[in-house]
Amino acid sequence: MAFKNEYLAKVYEKVCARNPGESEFLQAVKEVLESFEPVVEKDKSYETNGIIDRIVEPERFIQFRVSWVDDNGNVQVNRGFRCQFNSAIGPYKGGLRLHPSVCASVIKFLGFEQIFKNSLTGLPMGGGKGGSDFDPKGKSDGEVMRFCQSFMTELSKHIGADTDVPAGDIGTGAREIGYMFGQYKRLRNEFTGVLTGKGLSYGGSLARTEATGYGLCYFTDEMMKCMKNESFNGKTVVISGSGNVAIYATQKATQLGGKVVALSDSNGYVYDKNGINLDVVKQIKEVERGRIKEYCDRVEGAEYHEGCKGIWTIPCDIALPCATQNELDGEAADTLIKNGVIAVAEGANMPSTPEAVEKFLDAGVMFGPAKAANAGGVATSGLEMSQNSERLSWTFEEVDAKLKNIMVNIFHNSYNASKEYGNEGNLVMGANIAGFLKVADAMKWQGVAY
Ligand code: NDP
Ligand code: 2IT
């Protein structure tokens, strides 16, 4: 869709010229700006205050060398990033991705999305993201530790509990957060809530591990209930990925009465018509750091297929993409629609291509976009920050109840915004607008000279 609004067209053109070749970042910006057409048409102050011009440009983008020594004594060099995108409503907040595909474009798209997602949670958190092209796969614990320490040695100069609070993402789990926290404390001599997703013995929050997957299902459940009087009960569910988000989405979807029949990793997918046995998956992925293929050696009747895209050919009622960006394309969307999918909600960030999103919306499939549907992770990180500030820890039930409440509110705020701006039920538009309004208001009040 070309921009009808001249101001948005002009801003987008400038973003393209300034960020050549950054396809993921441009994809994310285009989708968000398209949603803003009715907003900037209705209120010219967004234009006169240069809100859109400013919101697409990171406040700060840090890139640095990360050198470390591998187990063979060889020097390795990776590239580290932190994108401090927007601090209008709170300290920068967002995860750290460790994956070979990490580059400026990926970090900027994730940081940009995080601005609106964090705003949707209702908690005071700005948007940021970081990471490195380091690949934790196949590395020893010692190598991961040395990398994390070297990474944090530079990152520590730019973050802080009231400045920027990183957390986990792909490739960054409890192990990596622990090593990074230890190094930050060593360097600063400060025990503060500078990272979230910490271990429970040193300031982590109960339910943070489960939060993104659980939150995704709470959101999806509310969406199905309110939009079509449906629920997980008795539904067949397909979930891509088999990492943190996928595992806890599987757990909650199952608790809510759904049957999860497939999971994947970057090599392939498993299909288990009897419903995934999550204890087996947890043993393989969380304890042994193995591959999803091994599931079939342990569970009778389960099938393994090479290649991760084929997972979308499995007939299902509910699809939850929980692996990575652009993993679900137009062709996959056609297949899901043909097979009768009723709801798609994004656990991963930007897993559906723009073609896929358009097809779901056109076909009347209920569609929960990432920045709304997967906000439970960062929301619970926000709750971890609160607990750290008051030096208390809440029970699992308290945190889980707050998470659920936040996800239900995110659905309704997104739905109501879609209605108010003339596209009822389009949660892509609704989430973008609902997230934007608070950030834009804060930016207006704070003036232009940052
Ligand atoms: P993990 O590292 O725990 O798991 C990632 C999973 O996705 C693995 O199964 C991995 O397979 C698969 N995957 C990663 N990259 C690719 C790829 N290029 N192609 C196919 N499969 C891939 O990460 P998380 O579960 O934490 O994150 C998953 C998604 O959820 C990401 O998009 C992340 O940004 C998003 N997210 C995470 C949150 C969190 O709290 N952790 C919060 C909100 C969103 P393999 O092992 O083969 O690499
Ligand atoms: O994409 C995300 O929202 C995350 N990876 C979680 C960020 C966080 O700060 O908990």
Side-chain angles (χ1 to χ4, degrees):
M1 168 177 133
F3 291 100
K4 286 194 274 306
N5 178 278
E6 248 176 71
Y7 174 48
L8 292 173
K10 206 175 66 199
V11 173
Y12 184 66
E13 203 179 303
K14 200 160 175 185
V15 175
C16 291
R18 267 202 178 134
N19 304 280
E22 298 195 351
S23 60
E24 294 88 358
F25 179 50
L26 297 177
Q27 180 184 336
V29 169
K30 184 159 187 269
E31 183 221 89
V32 168
L33 295 197
E34 280 172 0
S35 297
F36 293 166
E37 298 251 9
V39 182
V40 298
E41 289 287 339
K42 189 170 158 190
D43 183 346
K44 295 290 172 203
S45 75
Y46 296 114
E47 183 171 349
T48 52
N49 284 278
I51 297 293
I52 313 291
D53 310 69
R54 288 191 278 150
I55 213 163
V56 296
E57 182 67 16
E59 289 174 15
R60 202 171 289 104
F61 185 82
I62 303 144
Q63 185 187 307
F64 49 98
R65 183 177 69 203
V66 186
S67 38
W68 53 282
V69 179
D70 70 18
D71 286 347
N72 299 320
N74 296 321
V75 174
Q76 299 286 341
V77 177
N78 286 105
R79 189 170 269 187
F81 300 93
R82 186 73 184 165
C83 179
Q84 299 182 330
F85 221 118
N86 193 298
S87 62
I89 65 168
Y92 308 106
K93 179 85 197 86
L96 296 170
R97 178 174 292 190
L98 300 181
H99 192 271
S101 63
V102 165
C103 59
S105 172
V106 166
I107 295 301
K108 277 155 72 177
F109 115 68
L110 290 164
F112 184 66
E113 290 284 290
Q114 203 81 40
I115 303 171
F116 309 100
K117 183 196 301 192
N118 293 4
S119 169
L120 282 170
T121 66
L123 301 172
M125 300 182 289
K129 199 81 184 191
S132 171
D133 57 4
F134 174 79
D135 186 358
K137 257 191 232 121
K139 303 288 192 301
S140 69
D141 281 353
E143 289 176 324
V144 170
M145 182 174 79
R146 291 193 294 281
F147 166 81
C148 289
Q149 292 176 338
S150 178
F151 180 78
M152 183 51 85
T153 300
E154 176 59 29
L155 189 68
S156 67
K157 298 169 190 165
H158 310 285
I159 62 175
D162 293 317
T163 308
D164 183 355
V165 183
D169 193 77
I170 291 178
T172 307
R175 175 180 60 171
E176 291 74 19
I177 293 290
Y179 293 147
M180 289 183 197
F181 183 81
Q183 182 69 352
Y184 183 87
K185 187 164 59 67
R186 241 169 247 124
L187 291 165
R188 292 290 192 90
N189 196 23
E190 270 177 23
F191 195 112
T192 60
V194 66
L195 292 163
T196 59
K198 298 184 291 299
L200 298 177
S201 55
Y202 63 96
S205 173
L206 284 160
R208 175 62 187 91
T209 305
E210 293 83 357
T212 312
Y214 277 24
L216 172 66
C217 293
Y218 294 146
F219 178 94
T220 308
D221 204 39
E222 188 70 11
M223 173 175 82
M224 292 194 292
K225 184 175 93 188
C226 297
M227 290 174 73
K228 293 213 178 134
N229 199 22
E230 283 285 5
S231 74
F232 271 98
N233 208 18
K235 300 292 190 302
T236 300
V237 186
V238 165
I239 300 181
S240 63
S242 49
N244 172 268
V245 180
I247 287 175
Y248 293 96
T250 301
Q251 189 164 82
K252 186 52 74 179
T254 309
Q255 282 171 15
L256 293 172
K259 181 159 89 168
V260 179
V261 296
L263 287 174
S264 63
D265 60 23
S266 55
N267 295 114
Y269 67 93
V270 290
Y271 171 61
D272 185 346
K273 62 177 186 317
N274 299 317
I276 292 284
N277 179 333
L278 198 59
D279 289 339
V280 174
V281 176
K282 285 173 120 181
Q283 175 65 25
I284 296 169
K285 301 304 286 192
E286 293 184 339
V287 181
E288 300 168 20
R289 295 182 186 275
R291 308 301 300 159
I292 199 66
K293 186 180 184 171
E294 297 163 40
Y295 182 88
C296 296
D297 306 334
R298 304 182 196 190
V299 179
E300 216 175 310
E303 299 166 16
Y304 177 73
H305 299 266
E306 279 294 330
C308 43
K309 285 234 162 124
I311 193 168
W312 307 120
T313 62
I314 300 169
C316 63
D317 305 301
I318 300 166
L320 305 175
C322 294
T324 196
Q325 64 272 6
N326 293 325
E327 56 163 312
L328 196 170
D329 60 15
E331 196 187 325
D334 281 335
T335 310
L336 284 164
I337 294 165
K338 186 169 69 64
N339 288 337
V341 75
I342 61 164
V344 177
E346 299 183 318
N349 285 305
M350 204 168 76
S352 314
T353 64
E355 296 73 34
V357 175
E358 200 180 323
K359 284 172 193 283
F360 290 136
L361 294 175
D362 287 350
V365 173
M366 291 178 272
F367 182 75
K371 60 175 71 65
N374 75 27
V378 74
T380 307
S381 280
L383 302 177
E384 183 171 330
M385 290 166 73
S386 302
Q387 293 169 79
N388 291 163
S389 298
E390 59 174 13
R391 289 176 159 69
L392 289 174
S393 18
W394 305 337
T395 64
F396 187 96
E397 290 69 28
E398 279 176 278
V399 179
D400 189 40
K402 287 187 203 300
L403 166 64
K404 189 170 183 184
N405 189 35
I406 289 171
M407 298 314 296
V408 165
N409 284 338
I410 291 177
F411 167 76
H412 288 283
N413 291 339
S414 303
Y415 190 90
N416 292 341
S418 75
K419 193 169 166 188
E420 186 181 337
Y421 285 90
N423 211 337
E424 185 167 355
N426 179 336
L427 300 175
V428 174
M429 185 189 202
N432 286 336
I433 294 176
F436 169 76
L437 293 175
K438 179 178 171 188
V439 177
D441 185 67
M443 287 173 75
K444 278 190 211 167
W445 280 104
Q446 291 172 35
V448 283
Y450 259 107

